[in-house]
Amino acid sequence: IFFVKCFEGVRLCVESWSAFELAEDMGWGETSHKQLLLDELTDIVLHCHIDEEKLEDYLQEFMEVNYNVVLEDDSAKDVAKILVNLYEESKAGRTEQLEALRIIKQNKAKPQQPTQESMDIEPAVPIVDEDGFEVVQSKKKKRHN
């Protein structure tokens, strides 16, 4: 069961990593390296070679070598931290990190419902006053008392 939880957690973590998903979706690598990353991370986690700094370095190198992407954000550090937490919790029989990753995956899968603000459509044709000037309308909603 430890193996299953770790594999699922690694998969969910990788699938929620925006930088990796963008590189995959945009085809920045010559081929897809998703399975390679999943296999290598699972191996690292399962064989207790889990050191946050080394894992961060590995993730940055993986992205650079396989996708020619230099990560300038802290996403590799964040992913490494999540994987370390996942390992430690799984080893202790806890699933908080895994549950959090499941929720993130569920939320990404749900289509976003439009809000009233996003449905407000600006007029396609500018409004011009009697002097020939374009009327600029405030984007703030007026209060009705």
Side-chain angles (χ1 to χ4, degrees), residues 62-127:
F62 185 91
M63 291 297 288
E64 192 168 343
V65 168
N66 293 293
Y67 294 100
N68 202 25
V69 172
V70 177
L71 299 171
E72 294 180 355
D73 60 2
D74 286 334
S75 65
K77 184 177 185 173
D78 295 338
V79 171
K81 186 174 186 166
I82 290 169
L83 291 172
V84 169
N85 288 342
L86 179 71
Y87 167 77
E88 290 173 353
E89 287 182 4
S90 295
K91 196 168 100 174
R94 297 188 346 257
T95 60
E96 293 92 347
Q97 187 68 63
L98 182 58
E99 291 300 324
L101 290 169
R102 287 175 179 157
I103 290 169
I104 290 169
K105 178 71 174 180
Q106 285 176 342
N107 289 339
K108 283 179 84 173
K110 290 181 185 176
Q112 296 294 321
Q113 296 296 325
T115 62
Q116 182 59 40
E117 273 188 17
S118 68
M119 292 175 42
D120 290 343
I121 300 172
E122 294 292 322
V125 180
I127 300 171

Side-chain angles (χ1 to χ4, degrees), residues 120-129 133-142:
D120 290 343
I121 300 172
E122 294 292 322
V125 180
I127 300 171
V128 180
D129 68 9
F133 292 101
E134 184 176 335
V135 176
V136 179
Q137 296 182 341
S138 172
K139 296 205 187 271
K140 293 183 180 180
K141 296 197 180 236
K142 295 179 182 178

Side-chain angles (χ1 to χ4, degrees), residues 35-89:
Q35 193 59 51
L36 174 64
L37 181 61
L38 290 173
D39 291 345
E40 289 184 1
L41 287 176
T42 302
D43 187 55
I44 289 169
V45 170
L46 288 175
H47 292 95
C48 309
H49 301 257
I50 193 125
D51 173 85
E52 195 172 318
E53 287 182 27
K54 288 180 183 177
L55 196 50
E56 177 186 357
D57 291 342
Y58 167 78
L59 292 167
Q60 289 176 334
E61 183 178 333
F62 185 91
M63 291 297 288
E64 192 168 343
V65 168
N66 293 293
Y67 294 100
N68 202 25
V69 172
V70 177
L71 299 171
E72 294 180 355
D73 60 2
D74 286 334
S75 65
K77 184 177 185 173
D78 295 338
V79 171
K81 186 174 186 166
I82 290 169
L83 291 172
V84 169
N85 288 342
L86 179 71
Y87 167 77
E88 290 173 353
E89 287 182 4

